[in-house]
Amino acid sequence: TIHPVSFEEYFESVQDSITIKRGFKAIVAATSFHWISPDVALKQTHALIDPKLIDPDDGCLVLLWNKEVQLESIETYERVLQPVFRAWAPQLDKYETPEAQFKVLHQLQETLFSSNNNGYFDVVKTGHQWVEPQHYSIELYLQLLTTYSGFIRLTVETRDGLLDALQEALKAEFPDKDEPLPVRYLSAYHMAKPRKLCEEKQ
């Protein structure tokens, strides 16, 4: 059954369903769990997991993350893209080094599973890798940018003008259409399991 509602509204939408409690073996969220308040996300996720369906040593909450795609060289970013962002949308002028991206995800893990927010899950496994795509054309890169929340919040006029200016700057810097853009991003995951002593924490 598909329920096209927000995570926070799920319990209300299926309040008459027998599957509302303890009906799932695993919960997977892809670059989305951070949008929900940790106390709400962890409590409701814990309430949906059926402990009889899982191995106690396995993770059943799987959080997948992809950080923003960045040009490989900060020097290229500062010379080619930074002037465009500052002209059209200064709030989007941000470059994250690999170390900075790793720090963001580590801090996110600490926030979600700190003792202040979490009496529900323990992290059992984490991992990450640097991804260097071999197929990112300028067009694909710009399409990806439009999916980021900062771009979505722009007015149509500003967004279109920014994308046109970015495309012009990138084509001037990388005129060979057959060469992929030199970009990379951090991909990571967190796996967690329910704590045994918090079956129905209120």
Side-chain angles (χ1 to χ4, degrees):
T1 302
I2 297 175
H3 300 276
V5 297
S6 70
F7 185 87
E8 296 90 335
E9 297 170 332
Y10 174 75
F11 277 67
E12 295 180 7
S13 71
V14 294
Q15 59 184 348
D16 297 326
S17 172
I18 62 173
T19 63
I20 186 172
K21 289 282 188 177
R22 308 293 187 198
F24 294 87
K25 185 176 181 179
I27 303 291
V28 179
T31 316
S32 58
F33 212 68
H34 62 300
W35 288 108
I36 309 170
S37 173
D39 55 339
V40 173
L42 295 168
K43 180 178 180 179
Q44 292 194 0
T45 299
H46 184 272
L48 293 171
I49 296 294
D50 187 342
K52 298 187 297 293
L53 297 177
I54 64 172
D55 186 310
D57 295 324
D58 287 342
C60 61
L61 172 60
V62 182
L63 306 181
L64 307 175
W65 309 99
N66 282 332
K67 284 294 292 170
E68 294 86 351
V69 173
Q70 305 277 358
L71 285 179
E72 205 168 56
S73 166
I74 187 172
E75 291 79 12
T76 304
Y77 172 83
E78 291 175 341
R79 178 169 48 82
V80 177
L81 298 187
Q82 189 173 68
V84 178
F85 280 115
R86 290 185 173 181
W88 285 93
Q91 70 274 25
L92 300 184
D93 173 23
K94 183 180 72 170
Y95 184 92
E96 289 183 334
T97 64
E99 294 76 19
Q101 289 199 336
F102 179 80
K103 183 178 181 180
V104 168
L105 287 181
H106 181 73
Q107 290 175 337
L108 184 59
Q109 176 184 332
E110 292 295 312
T111 299
L112 286 174
F113 298 106
S114 69
S115 58
N116 292 332
N117 291 325
N118 176 38
Y120 301 98
F121 290 92
D122 287 315
V123 176
V124 295
K125 192 174 183 180
T126 66
H128 70 276
Q129 68 175 8
W130 302 107
V131 181
E132 297 181 2
Q134 300 300 312
H135 60 280
Y136 265 64
S137 63
I138 292 175
E139 289 72 20
L140 184 58
Y141 172 70
L142 294 176
Q143 288 176 16
L144 176 64
L145 292 184
T146 64
T147 68
Y148 294 155
S149 56
F151 273 77
I152 294 173
R153 284 193 288 264
L154 296 174
T155 65
V156 174
E157 181 181 0
T158 298
R159 184 168 60 248
D160 290 348
L162 173 58
L163 291 172
D164 288 343
L166 289 172
Q167 183 179 54
E168 182 179 350
L170 287 168
K171 286 185 175 180
E173 180 70 17
F174 305 103
D176 188 348
K177 295 182 179 180
D178 296 326
E179 287 294 324
L181 284 180
V183 297
R184 65 183 171 191
Y185 61 91
L186 177 63
S187 185
Y189 69 89
H190 301 135
M191 295 181 65
K193 66 178 180 180
R195 289 187 177 177
K196 297 180 180 179
L197 300 181
C198 56
E199 285 296 312
E200 294 293 341
K201 181 174 178 178
Q202 300 297 323

